[in-house]
Amino acid sequence: MDKVQIIKYLDDNKIERIKFAFADIDGVLRGKVIHRKKFLEGLESGYGFCDVVFGWDSADVLYDNSKITGWHSGYPDQLCSIDLSTFRTIPWQDGLPFFLADFSNSVSAHAACPRTLLKRMAADCNALGFHPEFAQEFEWFNFKETPQSLEEKEYVRIQPISPGMHGYSIIRPSLYNDYNDDLFTLLRKFDVPIEALHTETGPGVYEAAIQHDDVLQSADQAVLLKTSVKEISYKHGMMASFMAKWNGSLPGCSGHIHQSLWDKKEGKNQFFNPADPDKMSDIMKQYLAGQLHCLPHILPMYAPTVNSYKRLVEGAWAPTTVTWGIENRTTAIRVINTSDKYTRIETRVPGSDTNPYLAMAAALASGLYGIKNKLSLDSPGTVGNAYANKEHKNLPSNLFEATTAMKDSDIATNLFGDDFVQHFCNTRLWEWRQFSKHVSDWELKRYFEII
């Protein structure tokens, strides 16, 4: 809908409330419900929003190393802009109108806004004559818990909705048929089109694949899926968690990103070449080489939390090395080359804890870096178990190591600009410091008596 159609929709349905939200640096949606009058007035001038949303972490604790905002700036309002093309209604909230917003028109908050960064990468791609087609899939665990019960239990003995390892189970979803129906149906009504929904291996773990779309729309849908699943699970007396690794003895949760580039004029998949032995075009090889080359320099954009790196371990269906392979799920990047329509790459590094805007921006920018610099693949695709080949370059093993590499990287600055890199890396270093001060139950059990 355009502006005129949206206003008519509000008038015809006598709607007085509108909800809008934007993603912060962690991918957490922050927003408000505003009156119709305020909504209409802000369509031209924007909406003032306290820029503390880019000055605190996911627990609302203020950063002490943010240059973009802080006590030194007084935490002023910045203007966010609603994107009218994101209009949808929330089916589990009586059809409340909803929009996504960003800070693309705010000079001060511009560098910290994830959606604004992805818009810039998408524009760069379009300028090269490519249409970026993306899709993200998510795994998450479901629990018989509420925020109150977890608080009372101090996050100990958390109970999944069902026991045992039941990947691709046909019978397990029937235990919560109403929940499954709501996920599939309500998400599609909310314009988050689910391509497939199934159980993964693990107690109470699900996986959903979103249909592919233009990269910005795909990121919008991915961000909304995570929040929507949490809200829908609340309706059923459950909690959904998108932590990368909530339990050390269970599989982690992935957030793989599928991607391809298409010719804007002819609408052809630029990754497919039927004459190549692997059906990979030169553009695809350059794009793939760019992602591999940049991966160690921008890893925190794929693995943004301390917990992310608990998933990136050998034998856990997650990569540990800078590798690629054809239909190989032990590598960082999996090439899928079945046909012209479906040839694509799957970046397997991201977990479900990613901020989709930043993860997709990282994937697209690094792929385009390979095309612009005509990079070639340094090594053939890995055949067999990538974990067993010790010659491959290892990924950084923790958030501090990965963030330090990114903060000092000219490649990261070249891709995203110094303002974003410094702000984002400072937030990740803050995250590491918060973790480093914490005394874990592992330390208590190991050292309390015996040392």
Side-chain angles (χ1 to χ4, degrees):
M1 289 187 183
D2 59 22
K3 179 181 175 180
V4 173
Q5 291 172 318
I6 289 171
I7 293 174
K8 185 176 187 302
Y9 177 85
L10 298 180
D11 290 342
D12 290 348
N13 292 278
K14 297 180 174 55
I15 291 171
E16 296 294 315
R17 298 179 303 134
I18 291 92
K19 191 175 189 177
F20 76 95
F22 52 85
D24 69 10
I25 204 72
D26 287 292
V28 176
L29 282 182
R30 309 278 187 172
K32 297 179 181 179
V33 175
I34 57 176
H35 190 271
R36 177 183 180 279
K37 182 174 183 292
K38 184 176 180 65
F39 169 74
L40 296 176
E41 289 174 348
L43 289 180
E44 301 299 330
S45 59
Y47 307 86
F49 216 106
C50 178
D51 70 2
V52 72
V53 292
F54 295 118
W56 60 20
D57 64 17
S58 58
D60 292 4
V61 180
L62 297 172
Y63 299 126
D64 63 6
N65 58 359
S66 172
K67 295 181 180 179
I68 287 180
T69 187
W71 294 122
H72 63 279
S73 68
Y75 294 109
D77 274 2
Q78 300 292 341
L79 289 179
C80 67
S81 304
I82 283 177
D83 185 340
L84 293 180
S85 71
T86 66
F87 171 69
R88 61 228 320 135
T89 58
I90 307 175
W92 58 91
Q93 292 183 9
D94 299 322
L96 180 67
F98 178 87
F99 297 86
L100 284 165
D102 58 50
F103 288 78
S104 54
N105 294 321
S106 172
V107 176
S108 297
H110 185 284
C113 178
R115 192 172 192 267
T116 299
L117 181 72
L118 180 57
K119 287 169 74 173
R120 185 154 56 89
M121 300 303 107
D124 190 21
C125 185
N126 290 326
L128 293 173
F130 300 119
H131 166 74
E133 197 77 3
F134 276 56
Q136 191 163 13
E137 58 187 41
F138 289 103
E139 298 167 351
W140 74 92
F141 278 81
N142 299 283
F143 300 94
K144 289 183 179 178
E145 303 288 355
T146 67
Q148 290 74 22
S149 71
L150 282 181
E151 185 76 15
E152 291 168 1
K153 295 165 68 170
E154 297 183 337
Y155 291 81
V156 175
R157 296 183 178 86
I158 306 173
Q159 185 181 2
I161 60 172
S162 62
M165 311 292 273
H166 289 272
Y168 300 103
S169 174
I170 295 300
I171 61 171
R172 273 297 194 247
S174 64
L175 283 171
Y176 298 96
N177 198 52
D178 290 346
Y179 178 50
N180 283 271
D181 285 350
D182 269 359
L183 287 174
F184 207 93
T185 304
L186 296 180
L187 285 168
R188 292 190 70 88
K189 286 182 178 180
F190 194 46
D191 194 22
V192 181
I194 297 301
E195 185 176 78
L197 176 68
H198 63 87
T199 61
E200 256 295 351
T201 183
V205 60
Y206 284 12
E207 179 176 346
I210 308 173
Q211 292 178 1
H212 61 83
D213 206 331
D214 172 77
V215 64
L216 183 61
Q217 280 69 46
S218 180
D220 287 344
Q221 291 164 355
V223 166
L224 291 175
L225 179 137
K226 293 177 68 173
T227 295
S228 299
V229 166
K230 293 173 186 177
E231 292 187 6
I232 294 169
S233 70
Y234 289 159
K235 287 176 74 266
H236 292 268
M238 303 177 190
M239 286 189 72
S241 174
F242 287 81
M243 277 186 69
K245 188 91 165 181
W246 82 274
N247 186 307
S249 61
L250 294 173
C253 292
S254 69
H256 302 153
I257 299 174
H258 295 254
Q259 60 222 265
S260 56
L261 298 182
W262 295 68
D263 181 84
K264 290 181 66 178
K265 293 181 179 179
E266 299 181 9
K268 292 183 178 180
N269 188 347
Q270 296 300 288
F271 279 4
F272 183 74
N273 178 10
D276 183 79
D278 294 325
K279 296 184 173 55
M280 297 168 61
S281 70
D282 289 342
I283 288 174
M284 184 180 191
K285 292 175 183 177
Q286 291 169 359
Y287 186 96
L288 174 56
Q291 281 209 1
L292 292 170
H293 180 74
C294 297
L295 178 55
H297 299 268
I298 58 174
L299 182 58
M301 296 176 74
Y302 296 129
T305 72
V306 171
N307 183 252
S308 302
Y309 299 82
K310 304 295 176 67
R311 169 182 164 266
L312 300 176
V313 295
E314 290 188 7
W317 295 96
T320 59
T321 53
V322 183
T323 48
W324 74 278
I326 295 173
E327 284 293 358
N328 192 330
R329 286 181 167 86
T330 68
T331 57
I333 300 176
R334 168 186 167 223
V335 169
I336 302 161
N337 60 353
T338 52
S339 67
D340 182 358
K341 185 177 181 180
Y342 294 111
T343 293
R344 62 195 187 276
I345 72 169
E346 177 193 42
T347 304
R348 294 180 57 81
V349 179
S352 58
D353 59 345
T354 51
N355 180 334
Y357 294 119
L358 297 187
M360 291 190 195
L364 181 57
S366 57
L368 295 179
Y369 179 92
I371 293 173
K372 292 174 184 177
N373 292 281
K374 293 183 168 54
L375 299 185
S376 51
L377 291 170
D378 294 333
S379 60
T382 298
V383 177
N385 186 359
Y387 300 128
N389 191 329
K390 302 305 179 183
E391 296 179 1
H392 295 314
K393 183 177 181 179
N394 290 323
L395 293 171
S397 60
N398 60 60
L399 183 60
F400 178 78
E401 181 185 345
T403 302
T404 301
M406 181 174 177
K407 191 175 177 68
D408 296 336
S409 170
D410 291 337
I411 288 176
T413 301
N414 176 273
L415 294 177
F416 308 114
D418 186 64
D419 287 345
F420 169 78
V421 170
Q422 295 307 310
H423 177 74
F424 176 68
C425 287
N426 281 344
T427 69
R428 298 310 93 190
L429 291 173
W430 162 272
E431 197 77 8
W432 180 260
R433 280 196 283 131
Q434 305 319 295
F435 165 72
S436 299
K437 293 186 293 187
H438 174 69
V439 178
S440 68
D441 61 344
W442 184 90
E443 292 168 276
L444 288 172
K445 292 173 183 176
R446 191 170 187 87
Y447 304 128
F448 190 89
E449 178 184 7
I450 201 68
I451 293 297

